[in-house]
Amino acid sequence: MSKESFSDLGVSEPIVAALARRSIHAPFSIQSLVIPDALVGNDVLAKSPTGSGKTLAFAAPIIQRLDAGDARPSALVLVPTRELATQVAEEFEAIGRSTGLRVAAVYGGTSVSAQGKAAKSAHILVATPGRLQDLANRRLVNLDGIRILVLDEADRMLDMGFQPQVDAIVRRLPRKRQTMFFSAT
C-alpha cells in the first residue's frame, strides 16, 4: 500500500466515499502509478501481478470520467473469460452505484438478445471478444461512442487466440480514444 490517498491521486469524493464503504482507504502501487494518467486521458500500459488492484486502477478513472447523460456505450473493457467479465462488472457497479452509470457484462453462454439489449443502453461494456464481436456484427450494439478502451489481461487474451476478434473490434472503435493495456505477466 502507498502512503498517499485516492484523493491525492485526483479521485473524486463520491468515488473515494464508495471505496471507503468497502474498506478501501489507500491505493496499491499499481493504482498510484496508473490513476493519475488514466484520469487525464493518457494511454496506459501496465503490468502487475494478479490480485494487485489492476481493476480498480482503471475502473475508478473510467467512472469519474464518464457522463451518465450520454445514453450510449462510452467505455469498453475487453477480458478473456466470462468469469473475469462478471468480476470486473461487479467492481464497476460497486464503486459506481451512485453515479447513474449503467454497466453490462457481455459474454458467451447466455442469451444474445438479452445481452444486446443491456449492452445497447450501458455506459460501460465489459465483454469477452467473441461475444462482443457477435453483438456488433448483428448490430445489437454500437461502438461508435467508445472513448475509453481497456484490454484487461491482454496477454492472456492473445494466448487464448482472441487477437483476430480484438483486432476486428478495435477497427470498429473511434481512432481518437484512450487505450489502456493491463497484463499480469
Side-chain angles (χ1 to χ4, degrees):
M1 291 263 198
S2 166
K3 292 185 183 193
E4 63 192 334
S5 69
F6 284 101
S7 295
D8 294 338
L9 299 176
V11 176
S12 68
E13 184 53 39
I15 296 173
V16 170
L19 294 171
R21 285 191 295 275
R22 298 178 63 215
S23 298
I24 302 171
H25 301 285
F28 286 110
S29 296
I30 189 66
Q31 296 158 356
S32 293
L33 291 169
V34 168
I35 287 174
D37 281 327
L39 282 171
V40 296
N42 291 337
D43 290 343
V44 171
L45 175 60
K47 176 182 161 189
S48 187
T50 300
S52 63
K54 291 186 295 287
T55 301
L56 186 54
F58 61 79
I62 287 172
I63 290 168
Q64 186 165 320
R65 292 186 59 217
L66 295 188
D67 177 8
D70 191 352
R72 62 184 177 168
S74 299
L76 170 61
V77 181
L78 290 176
V79 297
T81 67
R82 78 167 70 184
E83 294 80 16
L84 187 57
T86 301
Q87 177 187 334
V88 170
E90 288 171 356
E91 187 75 13
F92 272 103
E93 290 167 353
I95 62 173
R97 198 165 272 130
S98 65
T99 64
L101 295 171
R102 290 179 304 283
V103 180
V106 174
Y107 48 82
T110 61
S111 166
V112 171
S113 61
Q115 284 188 348
K117 184 176 181 180
K120 188 178 286 194
S121 65
H123 299 94
I124 302 163
L125 295 177
V126 182
T128 56
R131 176 52 62 98
L132 183 62
Q133 185 179 21
D134 185 29
L135 291 175
N137 287 344
R138 294 175 188 226
R139 294 194 169 108
L140 294 175
V141 65
N142 184 336
L143 303 175
D144 291 347
I146 298 295
R147 297 183 304 126
I148 304 169
L149 168 65
V150 176
L151 276 77
D152 191 16
E153 295 196 12
D155 53 334
R156 189 163 171 218
M157 262 189 289
L158 296 177
D159 288 345
M160 293 173 71
F162 285 124
Q163 184 170 353
Q165 292 92 341
V166 171
D167 290 345
I169 290 164
V170 169
R171 282 192 296 273
R172 292 177 181 266
L173 304 178
R175 285 186 166 273
K176 186 176 179 181
R177 67 173 183 278
Q178 179 183 25
T179 303
M180 295 187 268
F181 291 122
F182 288 85
S183 170
T185 59

